[in-house]
Amino acid sequence: MSFDTPINRLGTHCVKWDMMQAFYGVSPDEGLAMWVADMEFAPPAAVQAALEKMTAHGIYGYFGDDRAYLDAICWWMATRHGWTVDPSHIFTTHGLVNGTGLCVDAFTQPGDGVVLMTPVYHAFARTIRAAGREVVECPLALRDGRYEMDFAAWDAQMTGRETMLILCSPHNPGGRVWTSAELQATAEFCRRHDLILVSDEIHHDLLYPGQSHTVMANIDGIGDRLVMMTAATKTFNIAGSHTGNVIIADAGLRKRFADRMMALGISPNSFGMHMVTAAYSPEGAAWVDDLMRYLDGNRRLFDDGIAGIPGLHSMPLEATYLSWVDFSGTGMAPAEFIARVETGAKVVANHGATFGSGGESFLRFNIAAPRSQVRDAVERLQKAFADLQ
Ligand SMILES: Cc1ncc(COP(=O)(O)O)c(C=O)c1O
């Protein structure tokens, strides 16, 4: 299949296109949906074949015998990430927002502080607050147009009420692949302040050429307080399967998590299990390599186009297909640049403020689409800000 071929998703109950009018007032007939983090691409043929096998059989009973599924996850983590996973450490949740909620529930108490490096993926804060915990925002430092961690400032912020840190690695929305030194420092910070570290690595396969990601589980001295979260859903564009993995090496933490899963009656969705098993395969690996080469071209096209608009700056993407664009150089208030993008260009991107403090002057654009759509978006944006030339 070619990533260049547009696929019409309208009327398929996809949130990205079918809810755009309701949420942003932009009609999908003339607008471009560049918000929700899923891709405009069909997954590898092996995933489609797994689903076809299920529908051909036509029986949709409870799932059992997860050996092939667990083997596929262990194979993927070993070959793609140099991480040896014990299959008995893997839990399957209904995605990683569900995984986040379960971690907050299992490992913190109402009123506890949960630390986030902001701006960061918006569902973290929503989940923490809905569970009656407090979001503790540790602002990432913006240096030379990219985010860096700032432990000296964050040490001074801690009150002793914080019990967990949720890390987004690689970082959404900044596109950073954290270095092993930064990850080591994060582990030490958690140890210093007695925090459980939840490492959400849902984007860890989406690396641009030349980038290398370190899984937090391979960092020394953190295993006894670490919860890993991974998924095949972003990598292979199967987010609707709502299937994610929470992987816990520490026996005490594992027992607490297992008890919450049991208490809430969480068991796997058979469609997701079959899709993940098919995706984490040599065929899936080749598909991801092709995908990242394609996205690399999109990234260059988008960045060059944005660089051509005075006052706009896109963060250099090391991973993810989510481009974080700073509009502060235009001197415009968010309402004005948002109106130009949505009403003028008819492009829908995520509003930066929803990612927490520090995000206000940004919009996040999803560039995982046929190149023709990315080119169209760039031309629309250049037109909407043409008076700045
Ligand atoms: C960091 C991060 N975690 C989790 C999710 C969503 O996970 P799920 O669809 O498995 O609930 C996203 C989606 O964009 C994300 O960026």
Side-chain angles (χ1 to χ4, degrees):
M1 93 131 216
S2 164
F3 296 111
D4 275 327
T5 311
I7 300 175
N8 185 356
R9 300 175 67 192
L10 264 182
T12 62
H13 293 271
C14 77
V15 66
K16 194 183 189 179
W17 292 92
D18 288 331
M19 297 306 286
M20 179 159 95
Q21 172 86 58
F23 289 160
Y24 291 92
V26 177
S27 160
D29 295 328
E30 48 179 2
L32 294 179
M34 299 182 84
W35 57 304
V36 176
D38 64 25
M39 304 193 271
E40 300 303 306
F41 309 132
V47 172
Q48 195 61 28
L51 288 173
E52 280 166 11
K53 196 169 161 204
M54 286 180 80
T55 57
H57 186 237
I59 302 283
Y60 305 105
Y62 292 112
F63 185 87
D65 187 1
D66 57 5
R67 282 173 299 177
Y69 165 80
L70 295 175
D71 282 353
I73 295 171
C74 294
W75 175 82
W76 186 266
M77 296 309 158
T79 54
R80 301 290 288 193
H81 296 288
W83 174 27
T84 307
V85 176
D86 180 329
S88 71
H89 296 175
I90 301 174
F91 295 92
T92 298
T93 60
H94 296 303
L96 293 191
V97 176
N98 180 221
T100 304
L102 284 162
C103 287
V104 168
D105 202 18
F107 304 127
T108 70
Q109 298 297 320
D112 283 4
V114 179
V115 177
L116 298 179
M117 300 178 185
T118 51
V120 75
Y121 176 51
H122 41 68
F124 291 158
R126 225 177 24 240
T127 306
I128 294 163
R129 291 195 179 109
R133 276 68 163 173
E134 187 196 333
V135 172
V136 178
E137 290 195 332
C138 284
L140 287 160
L142 194 49
R143 293 198 188 107
D144 296 329
R146 73 206 282 262
Y147 287 129
E148 290 184 7
M149 298 175 178
D150 191 0
F151 293 103
W154 301 346
D155 277 334
Q157 253 185 272
M158 294 299 106
T159 65
R161 276 185 298 117
E162 303 78 11
T163 53
M164 175 182 280
L165 181 148
I166 304 178
L167 174 71
C168 190
S169 177
H171 186 69
N172 168 14
R176 278 293 318 275
V177 174
W178 303 117
T179 63
S180 30
E182 288 169 311
L183 297 173
Q184 187 69 54
T186 303
E188 283 157 18
F189 178 78
C190 289
R191 192 158 283 291
R192 224 165 27 250
H193 298 287
D194 197 15
L195 309 176
I196 287 177
L197 174 52
V198 176
S199 188
D200 179 335
E201 304 198 5
I202 199 166
H203 297 282
H204 72 180
D205 297 312
L206 300 168
L207 303 175
Y208 288 100
Q211 295 294 331
S212 140
H213 168 86
T214 305
V215 292
M216 189 49 108
N218 282 347
I219 295 291
D220 289 336
I222 191 67
D224 60 339
R225 56 178 67 241
L226 177 63
V227 176
M228 292 289 297
M229 298 205 301
T230 65
T233 47
K234 294 284 149 194
T235 314
F236 296 101
N237 203 28
I238 53 173
S241 70
H242 269 297
T243 300
N245 296 114
V246 175
I247 305 176
I248 310 177
D250 179 80
L253 294 178
R254 206 162 59 244
K255 165 86 173 78
R256 283 159 75 185
F257 195 84
D259 285 348
R260 287 314 297 156
M261 293 275 291
M262 182 69 79
L264 295 168
I266 296 178
S267 59
N269 167 309
S270 58
F271 288 92
M273 304 294 274
H274 287 286
M275 291 164 90
V276 170
T277 309
Y280 280 157
S281 62
E283 184 187 334
W287 184 90
V288 178
D289 293 340
D290 287 347
L291 169 75
M292 292 317 298
R293 275 190 287 274
Y294 189 82
L295 289 177
D296 192 31
N298 281 8
R299 167 181 79 150
R300 286 166 206 276
L301 173 69
F302 190 75
D303 284 349
D304 289 350
I306 293 297
I309 305 174
L312 269 61
H313 174 81
S314 56
M315 260 189 204
L317 279 187
E318 297 166 350
T320 86
Y321 49 74
L322 305 165
S323 182
W324 189 233
V325 179
D326 189 0
F327 287 75
S328 60
T330 61
M332 294 177 194
E336 187 181 352
F337 68 74
I338 288 172
R340 284 184 182 226
V341 172
E342 289 175 6
T343 316
K346 304 217 180 298
V347 173
V348 171
N350 288 86
H351 295 185
T354 59
F355 295 79
S357 303
E360 298 80 357
S361 68
F362 290 81
L363 291 177
R364 193 195 71 176
F365 294 83
N366 181 338
I367 59 163
R371 195 150 304 149
S372 55
Q373 187 191 304
V374 176
R375 190 171 294 115
D376 187 5
V378 164
E379 285 166 6
R380 289 172 183 225
L381 292 171
Q382 287 177 339
K383 210 163 146 206
F385 291 90
D387 56 320
L388 304 185
Q389 294 291 342

